[in-house]
Amino acid sequence: MLELTARQIAEAADAALRRDAHDPATFPAAVAIDSRRAGDGALFVGIPGERVDGGAFAAEVLAAGAWGVLVRPEHADAALSADRGAVLTHEDPVAALGALARAWRHRLGATVVGITGSVGKTSTKDLLRAIVGPHRRTVATEGNLNTEIGLPLTVLGAPAGTEVLILEMAMRGAGQIAELARIAEPDVGVITNIAPVHVELLGSIEAIAAAKAELLHDLRPGGTAIVPADERLLDPHLPQGVEVVAVGADPGEVPADLQLAGEVPTTVRRNLPAAVAAARAIGVEPSGPIVPEISAMRGQRLHLPGDIVVVVDCYNANPMSTSAALDDLASSAAGRRVAVLGDMLELGPDERRYHAELGAHARDRGVELLVAVGPLSRHTGTGFGQGVQWVPDAEAAARLVPTLLEPGDTVLLKASRGIGLERVAEALRAGSR
Ligand SMILES: Nc1ncnc2c1ncn2[C@@H]1O[C@H](COP(=O)(O)OP(=O)(O)OP(=O)(O)O)[C@@H](O)[C@H]1O
Ligand SMILES: [Mg+2]
């Protein structure tokens, strides 16, 4: 329930109230941008997309029981033709959604943690939610809803009484984190790390650091900035007037009695120090067993007959997370080390070098068999040398890999999302039935 009337919503979002709710004292049950979820008393925000403008569904969602709609002005007449429901208009529904979320954030008075960084945002968020959840009424980003649409929806989905909001923030270009921070006004800002991810968008690693650091400039006075120790790229951006906690310098920063229950992949565990620091910054001392729900494809292990272990880490890939995953393969494999590495996308002009270096790293880490998947991965193969098999795509890899495995193998599957490397996991799973 979003405890704001149509009038208050119009004011907060700077929208025109073209028709009040049937009963002006009622609140929307939820805020939705998907017309199929906007029945049942929700406020539907019609967002213009590449192909359709969600606003075109205004009359339909009102007829289906939406509480009201917030759409571009050209959809007002159609919306008003439905015989009930609040109708609000704004030229830029995404901006209106953000402004509304900011107003709700103020009304909630919750403590807000913003999490950005090149790698590990979702896992840090999952760990922090598991630590804080038992102690405070907590709402966190579901999955990866980390954009200028997903973040406001997360805030607006937080019920009255929420004490802590944990918000993942994606960076797709300069100014975007600043925009998310203006909506969220975080008390605590976490930067997990700085790495060459989305270099194409920003041009250099320095520009990436500056874009992430936008989070630190908009922290509330008295807030806490949590940054990786020894990350010199952030030095020029460390803010005044807030506490700065450097994570990773002190091995004692994670309490000894803090245990992660269930299966938590090793690459994800690395984010625990940052999650612990964030919990402390909001007054929660982490302790005891905690049970994080780690989002799928982040390094979960699949156990197949013949003691074959498959590390399913195909949610995304870049030089930092892939070399970490190879380190993990080297330290955890009982038998032969097999790596199925697909293209890492959006790495900019140095993409070939990054792939070649990764191949060399795989060799250094004792990988015996490398299956390189996709056009760029030819360079991974070159860096690796003897023992590589190259295939053009995930489909071909799904046919090849099952024929190569031997009992006792540990197999890492890692590639950018666009490669769809989970098909290899599916083929292995199906073949073992
Ligand atoms: N601290 C880390 N160091 C190296 N690799 C990591 C680290 N944290 C997570 N990873 C790896 O990165 C992958 C993605 O993790 P996660 O989803 O937490 O990142 P993200 O920053 O949220 O990604 P996105 O930008 O897609 O939202 C994981 O599968 C894991 O392999
Ligand atoms: Mg994420």
Side-chain angles (χ1 to χ4, degrees):
M1 173 92 73
L2 180 67
E3 293 178 12
L4 297 172
T5 64
R7 214 164 270 286
Q8 289 169 324
I9 290 170
E11 194 178 327
D14 195 21
L17 181 60
R18 302 285 303 271
R19 182 170 72 196
D20 207 335
H22 178 65
D23 174 353
T26 57
F27 307 130
V31 179
I33 59 163
D34 181 339
S35 60
R36 288 159 300 182
R37 294 194 188 178
D40 287 345
L43 167 63
F44 170 69
V45 181
I47 293 184
E50 271 165 35
R51 278 178 297 149
V52 264
D53 180 344
F57 296 98
E60 194 180 304
V61 298
L62 288 173
W67 171 91
V69 296
L70 169 53
V71 291
R72 285 174 55 94
E74 63 261 35
H75 300 297
D77 288 344
L80 291 165
S81 73
D83 60 5
R84 50 164 292 288
V87 177
L88 298 100
T89 61
H90 194 288
E91 279 297 335
D92 183 350
V94 175
L97 186 70
L100 184 57
R102 184 162 59 167
W104 185 237
R105 181 256 182 273
H106 286 163
R107 175 73 79 88
L108 283 175
T111 303
V112 176
V113 182
I115 302 177
T116 193
S118 297
V119 177
K121 300 177 286 297
T122 296
S123 345
T124 303
K125 178 260 301 179
D126 291 339
L127 292 170
L128 182 59
R129 175 183 9 212
I131 294 172
V132 173
H135 305 278
R136 301 271 197 281
R137 275 170 285 178
T138 304
V139 169
T141 302
E142 286 302 332
N144 206 36
L145 289 175
N146 55 17
T147 62
E148 70 279 12
I149 295 172
L151 180 139
L153 286 176
T154 304
V155 174
L156 291 165
T162 298
E163 294 168 298
V164 175
L165 266 171
I166 304 172
L167 301 174
E168 175 169 344
M169 298 179 170
M171 191 281 293
R172 296 288 305 174
Q176 192 178 18
I177 296 291
E179 185 186 334
L180 298 176
R182 269 194 298 278
I183 296 168
E185 293 184 4
D187 300 279
V188 178
V190 182
I191 297 183
T192 58
N193 45 46
I194 306 293
V197 181
H198 306 319
V199 191
E200 279 183 359
L201 293 164
L202 284 152
S204 71
I205 188 101
E206 287 77 19
I208 291 174
K212 309 281 180 205
E214 291 169 10
L215 174 61
L216 308 181
H217 301 302
D218 282 320
L219 294 181
R220 289 196 157 185
T224 308
I226 297 173
V227 294
D230 303 325
E231 183 45 272
R232 297 283 77 87
L233 287 164
L234 285 172
D235 284 350
H237 306 289
L238 294 179
Q240 306 287 319
V242 302
E243 191 183 347
V244 176
V245 177
V247 165
D250 172 8
E253 56 203 8
V254 174
D257 70 335
L258 182 68
Q259 302 133 25
L260 297 183
E263 201 210 331
V264 181
T266 324
T267 39
V268 162
R269 280 175 187 266
R270 302 185 176 178
N271 300 311
L272 195 57
V276 164
R280 287 188 175 134
I282 60 176
V284 173
E285 179 55 30
S287 67
I290 63 163
V291 195
E293 279 181 40
I294 302 298
S295 305
M297 294 194 285
R298 303 315 199 270
Q300 280 85 353
R301 284 170 178 247
L302 182 66
H303 295 269
L304 299 180
D307 289 328
I308 293 175
V309 178
V310 184
V311 182
V312 186
D313 196 346
C314 22
Y315 170 73
N316 71 13
N318 50 66
M320 177 182 248
S321 68
T322 309
S323 58
L326 286 165
D327 296 347
D328 180 44
L329 175 69
S331 62
S332 69
R336 194 166 68 137
R337 298 162 188 179
V338 179
V340 182
L341 301 180
D343 288 2
M344 303 180 287
L345 305 177
E346 295 188 3
L347 289 180
D350 290 334
E351 56 185 9
R352 292 175 178 194
R353 177 170 61 79
Y354 287 126
H355 283 81
E357 283 172 1
L358 199 70
H361 188 68
R363 167 71 65 198
D364 285 350
R365 285 291 173 269
V367 169
E368 284 163 66
L369 171 63
L370 171 69
V371 178
V373 187
L376 283 167
S377 298
R378 281 198 186 276
H379 303 281
T380 317
T382 310
F384 184 77
Q386 285 289 312
V388 60
Q389 300 214 29
W390 179 84
V391 288
D393 55 27
E395 215 63 72
R399 284 192 299 271
L400 175 67
V401 174
T403 69
L404 302 175
L405 296 190
E406 296 168 3
D409 283 355
T410 299
V411 188
L412 168 68
L413 306 181
K414 182 98 183 158
S416 280
R417 193 80 283 283
I419 307 300
L421 209 56
E422 65 277 10
R423 263 173 248 167
V424 178
E426 284 154 20
L428 288 168
R429 204 185 271 125
S432 72
R433 279 199 203 109

